[in-house]
Each structure stands twice: as structure tokens, then as C-alpha cells.
Amino acid sequence: MSVKEHMKHVEGAKKSDIKLYALSTCGWCKKTKGLLNKLQADYHYVDVDLLGDADQEEAVAEITKWNPQCSFPTLVIDNKSCIVGFKEQEIRGVIADAG
Amino acid sequence: MPAKKIPEEAVESAYQRLTVEAESGGYHLNPDVAFTKELIRGLLENEARYGYGACPCRLASGIKDDDLDIICPCDYRDPDLAEHGSCYCALYVSGAISGGGQEAEAIPERRPPASERKKIKAKGPQGHFEGGATSLPYPVWRCRVCGYLCAREEPPEQCPICKAKKERFERFM
């Protein structure tokens, strides 16, 4: 397996390439998922704490490329930019710009 | 690592206990009860799977010694309360937020990244006490979480102020 295979797809009307790295236990990650759902965003997410050791290591390496602190939630948009933390206005902005 | 299912009653009783403990030490839990209980559920899940209550909003390593600083209440809570009005996960909030005047917001991560932590660890303990002879009749211990000081042969089993365990104390004088 790899991290990609563990990514869960949430279908939504607002098409864009959003990858959300989250923790299953984290309050801000839950708020981020809730906001994306409310905005009907189409996105993929993975709860990094639930991964096995090898996949977790791979996920941490991926996240660290975008966010050296490797904190959660980390949202990667179009493989170009990232939003670290539950920044509601920034997330709303990204979804508003999406199809 | 898979999460363990935590029964509702366990979350409720931890919520009650943490509320009493926080208030008795001058701290406050987030008044958003639903949000707070979800964090406590996460904390209990971490306790069940790692054997220690790592912060629910940080990725635990599974190695307790490497994660002592993020066992709740974490080493970063009090500086974050002072600077931002809440801790990183927002389980604990300032009096102003607790009173309902303001709302907790997501704040930046204060914990150094893993590469930095490795360097800090390699340098050895960064306590204030350099060792050697002291004229004091007792050693002084400092709680790394809340700064509580006590002069006695050994630190207490639990900090009387913030309830952090003995292992969170460092020699201060």
C-alpha cells in the first residue's frame, strides 16, 4: 500500500484537486473536513495517525515537503500550494475559486 | 495505528474530571462543550493506543520519551495561552475565551519540528541547573508544564497545579 491508496475520496460539486492530511483525533481537522463538506468541495483525505508505520512515514515525508513542521491539518491544493491549519477564510477562498 | 473505540461514559467522566482539575489550578476548558468532548475522546484514544495521553492534534511517535513534551497538558500550553488565548488544540482556553467574550481560533504550532527536536535532544537536558554543589538544603524542581516550583528530595508524583506527572519535572536549582 501507499498513502495514495489510503486517501479517501469525498465527492462534491466543487471540483478541484485538494488533498487533506489530517488526524482522526484532531478537533481542527474535524472542523476542516466539516467546512469542506459544507462547501461541497470534492477532495481526498487521509487520517495519518491511522496509517501503518511505513505508510505513515511516507505521509510525513509528503507533508513535510509542504509544511516543514508537519502539523495538522495540512491542505495541499492542485499540488501547487498549501494551507496549514484550520484557516476558514483561506479555505473558503480556494473552494470559491474551484469549478 | 488504528484507533480504539472510547465509550461515551468514559468521555463524560474524563470531561468532568478535567473540568474540576483545570478550574482548581486556574485553567479553563474550552466552553464549546461538543468540541471539547471530541478532543477528550481523541486524548483517550491516544492514551489507549500509545499508552500515554498525547495531544489529539499532533502526530504521536509512539515512543513516550520522544513525546513527553506533547503529553496533555503539553509543555506549550501555558505560553500559547498567554500569547494566543488557547492551547494548540484549544482544549484549554484563557479566562476571556472561557467567559464567552472571544472564540478560540486555530493557532500556529509552537513545538519545534522533528529535525530541531533531535538536535535539542542530542544537546542533552536544557534544564536551568548545571549540576555541581549547591548550598541549598533541598534540590528545587520545576514543572515544565506550568512552572510550579518545589524544594524537596524528589518531585511530587503529580503537579498539584496542573496535574502533570512526575516525569515532567526538571531540576531547577
Side-chain angles (χ1 to χ4, degrees), chain B residues 47-70:
Chain B
E47 215 166 274
R49 57 183 165 165
Y50 302 119
Y52 53 91
C55 173
C57 293
R58 292 177 168 117
L59 182 61
S61 68
I63 301 162
K64 189 178 178 184
D65 194 46
D66 289 342
D67 286 344
L68 279 181
D69 59 328
I70 55 162

mmCIF file of all heavy atoms in Angstrom, chain B residues 47-70:
data_model
loop_
_atom_site.group_PDB
_atom_site.id
_atom_site.type_symbol
_atom_site.label_atom_id
_atom_site.label_comp_id
_atom_site.label_asym_id
_atom_site.label_seq_id
_atom_site.Cartn_x
_atom_site.Cartn_y
_atom_site.Cartn_z
ATOM 1 N N GLU B 47 -4.374 7.715 24.545
ATOM 2 C CA GLU B 47 -3.946 7.036 25.763
ATOM 3 C C GLU B 47 -4.075 5.522 25.582
ATOM 4 O O GLU B 47 -3.187 4.764 25.970
ATOM 5 C CB GLU B 47 -4.822 7.501 26.922
ATOM 6 C CG GLU B 47 -4.106 7.603 28.240
ATOM 7 C CD GLU B 47 -4.941 8.382 29.247
ATOM 8 O OE1 GLU B 47 -4.827 9.612 29.239
ATOM 9 O OE2 GLU B 47 -5.710 7.762 29.988
ATOM 10 N N ALA B 48 -5.177 5.102 24.941
ATOM 11 C CA ALA B 48 -5.426 3.667 24.740
ATOM 12 C C ALA B 48 -4.437 3.057 23.749
ATOM 13 O O ALA B 48 -3.957 1.938 23.937
ATOM 14 C CB ALA B 48 -6.860 3.452 24.268
ATOM 15 N N ARG B 49 -4.100 3.776 22.684
ATOM 16 C CA ARG B 49 -3.249 3.127 21.667
ATOM 17 C C ARG B 49 -1.759 3.343 21.893
ATOM 18 O O ARG B 49 -0.952 2.511 21.507
ATOM 19 C CB ARG B 49 -3.642 3.526 20.247
ATOM 20 C CG ARG B 49 -3.624 4.990 19.962
ATOM 21 C CD ARG B 49 -4.110 5.243 18.541
ATOM 22 N NE ARG B 49 -4.433 6.654 18.368
ATOM 23 C CZ ARG B 49 -4.609 7.212 17.199
ATOM 24 N NH1 ARG B 49 -4.501 6.512 16.100
ATOM 25 N NH2 ARG B 49 -4.892 8.488 17.115
ATOM 26 N N TYR B 50 -1.366 4.467 22.507
ATOM 27 C CA TYR B 50 0.068 4.702 22.718
ATOM 28 C C TYR B 50 0.518 4.430 24.147
ATOM 29 O O TYR B 50 1.710 4.326 24.420
ATOM 30 C CB TYR B 50 0.433 6.150 22.371
ATOM 31 C CG TYR B 50 0.093 6.567 20.951
ATOM 32 C CD1 TYR B 50 -0.802 7.610 20.710
ATOM 33 C CD2 TYR B 50 0.674 5.925 19.860
ATOM 34 C CE1 TYR B 50 -1.116 8.002 19.423
ATOM 35 C CE2 TYR B 50 0.357 6.317 18.562
ATOM 36 C CZ TYR B 50 -0.543 7.351 18.355
ATOM 37 O OH TYR B 50 -0.844 7.738 17.083
ATOM 38 N N GLY B 51 -0.457 4.413 25.078
ATOM 39 C CA GLY B 51 -0.090 4.234 26.484
ATOM 40 C C GLY B 51 0.211 5.546 27.182
ATOM 41 O O GLY B 51 0.631 5.566 28.329
ATOM 42 N N TYR B 52 0.017 6.664 26.484
ATOM 43 C CA TYR B 52 0.162 7.983 27.092
ATOM 44 C C TYR B 52 -0.746 8.953 26.345
ATOM 45 O O TYR B 52 -1.023 8.779 25.162
ATOM 46 C CB TYR B 52 1.616 8.473 27.092
ATOM 47 C CG TYR B 52 2.307 8.447 25.746
ATOM 48 C CD1 TYR B 52 2.270 9.553 24.910
ATOM 49 C CD2 TYR B 52 2.997 7.313 25.317
ATOM 50 C CE1 TYR B 52 2.900 9.550 23.673
ATOM 51 C CE2 TYR B 52 3.621 7.302 24.081
ATOM 52 C CZ TYR B 52 3.572 8.407 23.268
ATOM 53 O OH TYR B 52 4.181 8.384 22.039
ATOM 54 N N GLY B 53 -1.215 9.965 27.077
ATOM 55 C CA GLY B 53 -2.208 10.875 26.514
ATOM 56 C C GLY B 53 -1.602 11.967 25.667
ATOM 57 O O GLY B 53 -1.552 13.130 26.062
ATOM 58 N N ALA B 54 -1.143 11.605 24.473
ATOM 59 C CA ALA B 54 -0.547 12.598 23.575
ATOM 60 C C ALA B 54 -1.629 13.547 23.075
ATOM 61 O O ALA B 54 -2.789 13.162 22.919
ATOM 62 C CB ALA B 54 0.127 11.905 22.397
ATOM 63 N N CYS B 55 -1.234 14.778 22.791
ATOM 64 C CA CYS B 55 -2.129 15.800 22.245
ATOM 65 C C CYS B 55 -2.898 15.225 21.050
ATOM 66 O O CYS B 55 -2.298 14.659 20.140
ATOM 67 C CB CYS B 55 -1.299 17.003 21.788
ATOM 68 S SG CYS B 55 -2.267 18.242 20.917
ATOM 69 N N PRO B 56 -4.228 15.387 21.030
ATOM 70 C CA PRO B 56 -5.008 14.839 19.915
ATOM 71 C C PRO B 56 -4.740 15.530 18.583
ATOM 72 O O PRO B 56 -5.066 14.982 17.532
ATOM 73 C CB PRO B 56 -6.465 15.037 20.356
ATOM 74 C CG PRO B 56 -6.440 16.062 21.435
ATOM 75 C CD PRO B 56 -5.089 15.985 22.077
ATOM 76 N N CYS B 57 -4.144 16.722 18.614
ATOM 77 C CA CYS B 57 -3.912 17.467 17.372
ATOM 78 C C CYS B 57 -2.474 17.371 16.881
ATOM 79 O O CYS B 57 -2.043 18.158 16.041
ATOM 80 C CB CYS B 57 -4.333 18.918 17.549
ATOM 81 S SG CYS B 57 -6.110 19.079 17.764
ATOM 82 N N ARG B 58 -1.715 16.442 17.463
ATOM 83 C CA ARG B 58 -0.337 16.244 16.996
ATOM 84 C C ARG B 58 -0.122 14.766 16.729
ATOM 85 O O ARG B 58 -0.750 13.920 17.370
ATOM 86 C CB ARG B 58 0.648 16.733 18.042
ATOM 87 C CG ARG B 58 0.619 18.251 18.222
ATOM 88 C CD ARG B 58 1.564 18.669 19.309
ATOM 89 N NE ARG B 58 1.788 20.100 19.355
ATOM 90 C CZ ARG B 58 1.461 20.868 20.400
ATOM 91 N NH1 ARG B 58 0.865 20.348 21.460
ATOM 92 N NH2 ARG B 58 1.716 22.147 20.377
ATOM 93 N N LEU B 59 0.769 14.473 15.785
ATOM 94 C CA LEU B 59 1.050 13.080 15.460
ATOM 95 C C LEU B 59 2.056 12.524 16.469
ATOM 96 O O LEU B 59 3.197 12.969 16.517
ATOM 97 C CB LEU B 59 1.617 12.987 14.037
ATOM 98 C CG LEU B 59 1.914 11.577 13.534
ATOM 99 C CD1 LEU B 59 0.654 10.724 13.488
ATOM 100 C CD2 LEU B 59 2.574 11.627 12.156
ATOM 101 N N ALA B 60 1.598 11.563 17.278
ATOM 102 C CA ALA B 60 2.480 10.961 18.279
ATOM 103 C C ALA B 60 3.410 9.960 17.601
ATOM 104 O O ALA B 60 3.066 9.370 16.581
ATOM 105 C CB ALA B 60 1.643 10.274 19.343
ATOM 106 N N SER B 61 4.597 9.781 18.167
ATOM 107 C CA SER B 61 5.560 8.852 17.580
ATOM 108 C C SER B 61 5.337 7.435 18.090
ATOM 109 O O SER B 61 5.770 6.473 17.477
ATOM 110 C CB SER B 61 6.982 9.297 17.938
ATOM 111 O OG SER B 61 7.190 9.130 19.334
ATOM 112 N N GLY B 62 4.690 7.314 19.234
ATOM 113 C CA GLY B 62 4.545 6.008 19.865
ATOM 114 C C GLY B 62 5.678 5.742 20.844
ATOM 115 O O GLY B 62 5.664 4.757 21.562
ATOM 116 N N ILE B 63 6.686 6.630 20.841
ATOM 117 C CA ILE B 63 7.803 6.499 21.789
ATOM 118 C C ILE B 63 7.619 7.583 22.852
ATOM 119 O O ILE B 63 7.777 8.776 22.571
ATOM 120 C CB ILE B 63 9.165 6.661 21.072
ATOM 121 C CG1 ILE B 63 9.300 5.600 19.989
ATOM 122 C CG2 ILE B 63 10.328 6.580 22.063
ATOM 123 C CD1 ILE B 63 10.355 5.909 18.950
ATOM 124 N N LYS B 64 7.273 7.148 24.061
ATOM 125 C CA LYS B 64 6.875 8.102 25.103
ATOM 126 C C LYS B 64 7.957 9.143 25.369
ATOM 127 O O LYS B 64 7.676 10.335 25.496
ATOM 128 C CB LYS B 64 6.544 7.336 26.392
ATOM 129 C CG LYS B 64 5.931 8.208 27.457
ATOM 130 C CD LYS B 64 5.582 7.403 28.693
ATOM 131 C CE LYS B 64 5.012 8.315 29.764
ATOM 132 N NZ LYS B 64 4.755 7.604 31.023
ATOM 133 N N ASP B 65 9.203 8.680 25.411
ATOM 134 C CA ASP B 65 10.307 9.575 25.745
ATOM 135 C C ASP B 65 10.429 10.727 24.735
ATOM 136 O O ASP B 65 10.835 11.825 25.084
ATOM 137 C CB ASP B 65 11.601 8.758 25.827
ATOM 138 C CG ASP B 65 12.707 9.559 26.493
ATOM 139 O OD1 ASP B 65 12.424 10.176 27.541
ATOM 140 O OD2 ASP B 65 13.825 9.595 25.949
ATOM 141 N N ASP B 66 10.077 10.435 23.467
ATOM 142 C CA ASP B 66 10.163 11.474 22.431
ATOM 143 C C ASP B 66 8.953 12.398 22.453
ATOM 144 O O ASP B 66 8.964 13.456 21.803
ATOM 145 C CB ASP B 66 10.262 10.833 21.039
ATOM 146 C CG ASP B 66 11.615 10.178 20.817
ATOM 147 O OD1 ASP B 66 12.555 10.503 21.573
ATOM 148 O OD2 ASP B 66 11.722 9.341 19.909
ATOM 149 N N ASP B 67 7.906 11.967 23.155
ATOM 150 C CA ASP B 67 6.651 12.718 23.126
ATOM 151 C C ASP B 67 6.274 13.316 24.479
ATOM 152 O O ASP B 67 5.163 13.802 24.643
ATOM 153 C CB ASP B 67 5.495 11.804 22.666
ATOM 154 C CG ASP B 67 5.555 11.518 21.176
ATOM 155 O OD1 ASP B 67 6.273 12.234 20.459
ATOM 156 O OD2 ASP B 67 4.871 10.577 20.741
ATOM 157 N N LEU B 68 7.186 13.291 25.449
ATOM 158 C CA LEU B 68 6.872 13.825 26.785
ATOM 159 C C LEU B 68 6.328 15.245 26.688
ATOM 160 O O LEU B 68 5.418 15.627 27.417
ATOM 161 C CB LEU B 68 8.119 13.827 27.678
ATOM 162 C CG LEU B 68 8.503 12.515 28.358
ATOM 163 C CD1 LEU B 68 9.751 12.721 29.209
ATOM 164 C CD2 LEU B 68 7.371 11.962 29.212
ATOM 165 N N ASP B 69 6.902 16.028 25.747
ATOM 166 C CA ASP B 69 6.504 17.438 25.634
ATOM 167 C C ASP B 69 5.085 17.626 25.115
ATOM 168 O O ASP B 69 4.510 18.693 25.275
ATOM 169 C CB ASP B 69 7.498 18.206 24.742
ATOM 170 C CG ASP B 69 7.588 17.638 23.333
ATOM 171 O OD1 ASP B 69 7.435 16.415 23.163
ATOM 172 O OD2 ASP B 69 7.790 18.429 22.389
ATOM 173 N N ILE B 70 4.508 16.588 24.479
ATOM 174 C CA ILE B 70 3.140 16.760 23.955
ATOM 175 C C ILE B 70 2.121 15.921 24.710
ATOM 176 O O ILE B 70 0.989 15.745 24.265
ATOM 177 C CB ILE B 70 3.044 16.482 22.435
ATOM 178 C CG1 ILE B 70 3.572 15.088 22.090
ATOM 179 C CG2 ILE B 70 3.762 17.566 21.646
ATOM 180 C CD1 ILE B 70 3.110 14.598 20.710
#
